[in-house]
Amino acid sequence: MLLFLARRSLWSSRITLVLLVVSVAAGAGFQIGNSANLDGFEHALLEENLTHGAGDIRVEPTDGPRFREGIEMAARLAAVDGVRAAQPVLIYAGAIGRRGRFHATPLVGVDRSALPPFQIVEGAWTPSDPDALLIGTHYASRLELAVGDRVEVRAIFGAAGMAVDDDNVGRYTMTVRALVGGTLAYRAVFVSRTWLAAESGEPNAASAIHVHLFDHERARPLAAELAQGVPGITAIGWREDASYVSSYISATRTIVSVSYAMVIAAVAVPMWALLYIHVLRRRRELAMLLAIGFAERDVFAISLLQAIFVSIVGCVVGAGIGLGLIVYFQANPIYEWGTMAVRPMLAMGVFVGPAIVMVLTALVAGSYPAWRAARTDPARVLKGVE
Amino acid sequence: MTRLVVEDLHRRFSDRDVLHGVGFEIAAGETVALMGPSGCGKTTLLQIIGLIDRPDAGRVVLGDHEPWSAPSAIRAELRLTWLGFVFQRGNLIDHLSARENVALPAWRAGQSRKAALARADDLLAPLGIRGETPSHVLSIGETQRVAVARALVNRPQLILADEPTGSLDGASARSVLAALLAPGEAAVLLVTHDPDVAARAGRTLHMRDGKLRERA
């Protein structure tokens, strides 16, 4: 009955109803789009820097530049609870060149993996092919290289190896099989780890193990556990290893909080004002309800129900607006560079969070007008004094 | 049984005594008219008895209840189930239909919506009002008839009517009075300026400057 009265009263003042709904819808729609984009930014950062980067934990030997038995170490780490994959990488200083022009670059050996530290932009990866070279987009651009081109590669092995000359530099001519991108990859060159390790004389060597986890937030505690539990290693979680990523994510979450605060203020004030004006315009009706036997709490509830009703309707409309924004920004990302594109995340949480906040905002904004409605003096109003 | 007892009622607004020691009784089934010049305190008295306005001093007893010594929730319940109020200008809710206006107190009192609307239809039919009619298109006479039906919907013990026929033509006034003064258990306290309306009551109280005296 109270809901019936609340709805009918609102419907009798359609302009007020529309303005209230639009106010909530605009707030909800904006926040949904905003949250989705910021979630997408966080996702893109993690994908770019962790999933297609150095993983959640970077494990390196405490003694020396490499694990002699890197494959075995990777297998041991892969068996740890919570670890999704452990990728051994072998890194030597190197250079690539063409027509006499060389650029210094890390030469990174990677074996076949579901989580390589790069994203293929063009071409295909054939890890078992010793002639295959994957080149970062930066060098491809500088050296004007395309897939299929032949390129000179130099690897500085340091200690004496099997197939190197007297100055411990390996000299190779290899074929570009793919162009790759990624925060770490666009200025690097990738080859088969197996081949590179063989060339260096240490077939099982790995400079580091990139450990990927199912839950990114477990990196710090797990890194501490590994450092303590596995002798001869240092283990660094991504928040410490790539502090800029951690800072970006903290900043993103702060922006989400700030935007929520702004939306709450932007919705609460007009809601409060419109509902208050609605109460003032209905004083005679409210006085009459009190006079015929409705209690003050009934009148309070009717007004508060109106606030909740418009917030729910507004959230539904806002969800449509937010979905439209998400679809638009998925097709037109707000940021795109190399392999990193920020596209909004389409997830339930992106809709539920703003909806809950809008309903709570309505409850708070509607409380004073509801209280004011319940305080209507029927005697004065019905006499025409007010 | 005495339905209403008013004892030594006082009410003051700003620096003016609106009610000054008013006291009287009304028995079950009795109809009492209240007359007096404009501004003498009739509406204020009615609103205090109707539990809409609080007296500064004095007692109001409705049956076995002393509402002004009870919590506000009790007074709301009494307004709903014990009293029926016909306001001077009808005071219907514009965005509801006639039957919805009449059904409202019954629905609030705990009847189902369907039962309350059926009760409303039963009350409106003899008054010649179509229940689906939106309230805002009703004439003044029709509005007052709907207001009377609303006041009767919960079968009150005491009906308070503030100038129910004040702005009505003869025919409308007669039909409103007929509905209001239909035989029954309810006592009626009726404010009027019209001597012909007052003549229909069992007795008449006269009010002047906040004080009451009775004439047979």
Side-chain angles (χ1 to χ4, degrees), chain A residues 265-276:
Chain A
V267 171
V269 171
M271 268 201 91
W272 186 97
L274 287 166
L275 287 170
Y276 186 59

Side-chain angles (χ1 to χ4, degrees), chain A residues 14-33:
Chain A
R14 286 183 189 67
I15 291 179
T16 302
L17 174 61
V18 167
L19 288 173
L20 283 165
V21 169
V22 165
S23 168
V24 175
F30 166 80
Q31 190 57 24
I32 287 168

Side-chain angles (χ1 to χ4, degrees), chain A residues 26-63:
Chain A
F30 166 80
Q31 190 57 24
I32 287 168
N34 197 34
S35 297
N37 266 316
L38 290 170
D39 280 358
F41 179 54
E42 184 171 321
H43 176 79
L45 272 178
L46 293 173
E47 281 287 298
E48 181 82 354
N49 291 279
L50 305 187
T51 308
H52 299 292
D56 294 279
I57 301 173
R58 185 163 54 85
V59 175
E60 292 179 343
T62 49
D63 250 337

Side-chain angles (χ1 to χ4, degrees), chain B residues 16-71:
Chain B
R16 195 166 74 90
D17 280 325
V18 177
L19 297 178
H20 195 78
V22 171
F24 63 96
E25 294 182 12
I26 300 180
E30 189 181 8
T31 299
V32 176
L34 178 61
M35 299 186 75
S38 294
C40 71
K42 303 187 299 296
T43 297
T44 301
L45 175 61
L46 226 61
Q47 287 188 342
I48 290 173
I49 296 170
L51 310 182
I52 296 169
D53 194 11
R54 179 181 281 275
D56 293 311
R59 258 176 104 219
V60 173
V61 181
L62 299 174
D64 298 326
H65 308 282
E66 281 207 47
W68 288 112
S69 308

